[in-house]
Amino acid sequence: MLFMRRFLFAILAFLTINNFTVAQGKLKAIKAGKVIDVVNGTVLTNQVILIDSNMITDIGSALSIPANAEVIDLSNAVVLPGLIDCHTHLTSQPSGDYYGDIFRKSPIDIAVTAHIYAKRTLEAGFTSCRDVGAPAFVDVALRNAINNGEVEGPHMEVATLFIGSTGSHGDLNGFSPFLDWQMPKQMSGVANGVDELRKQVRYNIKYGADVIKFGASAGVLSEEESVGGPQFSQEEMNAIVSEAKMWGRKACAHAHGAEAIKMAVKAGVASIEHGSLVDDEGIKLMKQNGTYLVSDIYDDDYILSEYSKLGYPEKIINKEKMVGKLQRENFEKAVKAGVKIAFGTDAGVYPHGWNAKQFFYMVKFGLTPMQAIQSSTINAADLLGWKEKAGSITKGKWADLIAVENNPLNDITVLEHVKFVMKDGTVYKNELKH
Ligand SMILES: [Zn+2]
């Protein structure tokens, strides 16, 4: 018995010493064969990236590596800043039971699986995301647990409850009025009129919103009639955006229709989400105002091939058929006109971790591979208000970086196979063969 106790103490002592060693070894040096420099739009070779705890402290070709630094050899790989997805819904993805997802799941069901999707997103190379709409503040709980190191996932900026008018994309439509809404009123983002909307913005912020998301127009994956029609008045949109600003928050608008896009841009949103039916006037306005376009141009493929099998109503699939092709064409028009583009996929509409599939379409529809990468790094960081913290491999930023085996500037789809992921100086994945 005494022997057992001594033995256990010995193991404990060993573990303690080992942990101590790990804690002391906070300095890391990455030897990078190639680095995508997204700030200058170039490729650097044979770089050393120095990391102290969670920060990049230096990068250069002639840096000496401190003797106590842990060396990570990525000399046969291409290193990029951690990717950022500006439009995710980490709390869910379709289970294959459309009505079950709506009526048989509570926010508690959603909360117990959200961390799985967060981990998948991180392992796919996305070290940050802007999560734009989740039920019952599950996104706040997830963000906090990640920040506390309790679960693995990307840095998150969260919108909490999607703010929508009665009967809007953000409401529950197509059912009996006796069903109304599936959760308590305090967990609904449905609000109307300037006063209610200002109160809703305050409420979302009170319980943890970093950004405000509202539905400027009707949507695709909901049963209300049109896709593009405005769902708030100009006065209401102005109120949402100005209230958010007062509390130091940016606002973003879900907007498919041309009119709703223009109204939201005039109200001062930081980004238009989807932007499917944007017209020339809208493109001009977005350019003038520096409004980002966050256009989810991959998920059309997934919706059209999978959603019938996943039990979605015909009505919703028909809406997608109407919008998907136009969205890609209009994305190309906006790119040509010089509208600022930030990468956002609507992950959760398709399986989490597939985010990088969208790069192929962004290149197909007008961006150079470098611009596509910039949309998911420096541009995305700018949209999130994290320009000083994320988006490039630069001194003073978070040690968030990824590596792939081949140059994504030659073939953008290599980003679908990220082999190495570091977030905040911690390695979460390393599948590189030396
Ligand atoms: Zn969305």
Side-chain angles (χ1 to χ4, degrees), residues 163-201:
I163 300 177
S165 59
T166 295
S168 73
H169 180 61
D171 201 352
L172 180 68
N173 295 295
F175 303 101
S176 154
F178 292 88
L179 277 170
D180 196 2
W181 188 243
Q182 78 272 43
M183 58 179 112
K185 280 289 173 210
Q186 68 268 28
M187 294 298 176
S188 152
V190 173
N192 302 280
V194 167
D195 290 348
E196 262 185 47
L197 285 164
R198 285 192 182 276
K199 190 176 174 189
Q200 186 70 48
V201 169

Side-chain angles (χ1 to χ4, degrees), residues 87 89 132 213 274 346:
H87 191 128
H89 300 281
V132 286
K213 163 94 177 283
H274 313 295
D346 221 352

Side-chain angles (χ1 to χ4, degrees), residues 52 61 72 83 88 97 112 124 133 135 138 143 150-151 174 202 235 255 278 282 286 320 339 341 357 389 417:
D52 188 352
S61 56
I72 299 169
L83 302 171
T88 64
D97 179 2
V112 296
V138 173
R143 177 200 66 195
E150 290 156 344
V151 301
R202 291 172 192 179
E235 198 188 15
V278 66
M286 288 182 76
E320 183 61 41
V339 171
I341 306 291
K357 284 180 186 279
K389 304 186 232 181
H417 310 285

Side-chain angles (χ1 to χ4, degrees), residues 328-344:
R328 292 174 176 186
E329 288 168 11
N330 289 329
F331 173 82
E332 192 163 17
K333 270 192 199 169
V335 167
K336 278 201 182 120
V339 171
K340 292 199 283 184
I341 306 291
F343 184 96

Side-chain angles (χ1 to χ4, degrees), residues 1 3 5 40 62 79 90 123 154 171 175 264 303 319 353 384 410:
M1 197 58 197
F3 169 78
R5 213 175 283 168
N40 299 303
V79 179
L90 286 190
E123 286 173 349
D171 201 352
F175 303 101
I303 293 167
K319 283 204 219 179
L384 268 64
N410 300 333

